[in-house]
Amino acid sequence: MSNAPDPSAEHESVSAESNVAAASEVIEGGMKPSAQDESQTIARLAGMQPMDYDRARRDEAKALGIQTKTLDDMVKVARSEDAATRLPFAEHEPADDPVDPALLFDEITKVIRTYIVLDPEQADAATVWVAHTYLADASDVSPIAIINAPERACAKTLFQSLLGMMAYRPLPASNASLSALFRAIEHWQPTILIDEADTFFRDNEELHGMVNAGYKRGGFVLRSEATGESFEPRMFSVYGPKSIAGIALEKHLPDSTMSRGIVFGMRRKLPHEKVERMRNADKAIFSRLGSQLARFAVDYSHQARMARPHLPAELSDRAQDNWEPMLAIASCAGRAWVERITAAALKMSTDGEPVASNANELLSDIRDVLAEWTPKTIKTADLIGKLCADEDMGWATYNRGRPLTARQLAKQLDIYGIKPKTVRQPGKKTPKGYELAQFEDAFERYLKPEAVQESSEAFSDVAATAQHPADPGGLDAVLAFVSNRPRCVVADTPQVPPAAPEAADF
């Protein structure tokens, strides 16, 4: 084994001795580095890779005339400050020139449909929702963009990513902890993008509460924060725009969350449906549109805040809350865009209605079979008989192929506070049954008026044949139909009686 000296070790020794000598000369000669030189040195060291910094730290500390630990602490602080100034999202600066809102919205809609298979009404709604991310402070509610797909390969993630490329401060948050998420919302007021919600959202009740609380201005979550040796309560603001994407979200999101959103129903592309691939897209287009949206927000925030748009009476109270800020923004772009978003609201709110529960279907069917029943009471056996007589209702096979039982009927109706009682019949008979008056309150509270149900079906027929402005002549047919329809206000009530209030549902 050779005992020859290592040339590299000799070189390092000479270098170290030179640095020590140089540092000694600086200190002894009173040539202390200037504050500017020290700051530049610290900044340079903070930008080094960890291995490079480790090799240089001793020599640099000696050159500065400080201990190595002191240098390490200064570099650590500099790195922390640098990390704090880096934002986890792209931020669009307002464009220099004013924008024409109608032309801007038209272009965004066209861009969306260039890459995503969507109905025209959905693309219009997506356009205005993206504009809303810049104007959330101009409204009292921020509807959630719920991107729902029945299966995989329906472009839900791609659609959410596309919206994020134009949205205000888009922050993907699928892998963020809850505490980091609500702190980020308060600190940055970003647009939260949650993907793959079907894999984790259902069992995360705290996340439910945060998302629901952030629907209305002033929504907050309450947490305890360490203050010295004790803990103090602190409120974190969580209001702001959010998008949730996933598969079959109606099974994974609570009704309280679904009702707070505008649902975009995705579908798998057919061979004849042609769209361009996002990977070939010119990213500068999205940057420009984002800057123009930022300028739109600067110029039109007051107008959007003061707008009081007409809300279609066909929408439920919650749906009106969801669409009011959208229509307010559309009003900034003129009458044509108000009409387009009105058509989108009517179509998408109807498409997004939840499937009625068994109890609600039963209540609706009872209203149908009692429509021509004139006595004030009905026996349980007679009510079940009338329900089972109509094969389309399905009650003849409800009980595993057998008819609905009296016990099952009573259990379903008990949800609505309707209980069987003794009802007097001719001949002094007193079987169990129901008074018709018992159903009136439940019919009014939990079922849509029959006139609205009939008009909704008629609207669907017209909407199926009407065209969108992208196909000239169609929207007028829809709007003419809507304007001539009888209007009635439908109470915003759940399809089943409300459960106990959720603790975090602010």
Side-chain angles (χ1 to χ4, degrees), residues 238-306:
V238 291
Y239 172 72
K242 301 172 184 65
S243 172
I244 301 175
I247 296 173
L249 291 179
E250 67 278 1
K251 298 180 181 179
H252 302 283
L253 301 187
D255 290 342
S256 59
T257 301
M258 291 293 292
S259 68
R260 285 168 163 80
I262 294 172
V263 180
F264 295 87
M266 307 303 292
R267 62 177 186 264
R268 191 170 291 174
K269 183 174 70 70
L270 294 175
H272 71 274
E273 294 176 316
K274 304 298 182 183
V275 292
E276 296 183 15
R277 295 192 178 277
M278 273 290 294
R279 62 171 172 264
N280 299 326
D282 182 359
K283 302 302 187 293
I285 293 176
F286 299 98
S287 179
R288 174 178 60 79
L289 292 174
S291 294
Q292 290 179 310
L293 284 169
R295 178 58 190 259
F296 165 75
V298 171
D299 295 341
Y300 289 88
S301 60
H302 180 72
Q303 181 176 334
R305 182 179 289 108
M306 300 305 295

Side-chain angles (χ1 to χ4, degrees), residues 181-183 185-186 209-216 218-221 236-242 506:
L181 197 53
F182 60 69
R183 284 176 170 83
I185 294 173
E186 179 169 271
M210 191 215 72
V211 170
N212 290 351
Y215 170 74
K216 283 192 175 183
F220 65 90
V221 296
F236 291 87
S237 172
V238 291
Y239 172 72
K242 301 172 184 65
F506 298 94

Side-chain angles (χ1 to χ4, degrees), residues 18 44 99 109 127 132 194 207 209 260 304 316 350 359 442 455 462 483:
S18 300
R44 174 174 55 80
V99 299
T109 298
T127 294
H132 164 75
I194 302 174
L207 184 58
R260 285 168 163 80
S316 68
T350 301
S455 63
V462 172
S483 62

Side-chain angles (χ1 to χ4, degrees), residues 211-239:
V211 170
N212 290 351
Y215 170 74
K216 283 192 175 183
R217 175 183 299 282
F220 65 90
V221 296
L222 188 64
R223 293 293 184 272
S224 60
E225 291 263 295
T227 305
E229 297 181 358
S230 63
F231 289 87
E232 297 291 336
R234 181 184 169 189
M235 296 191 306
F236 291 87
S237 172
V238 291
Y239 172 72

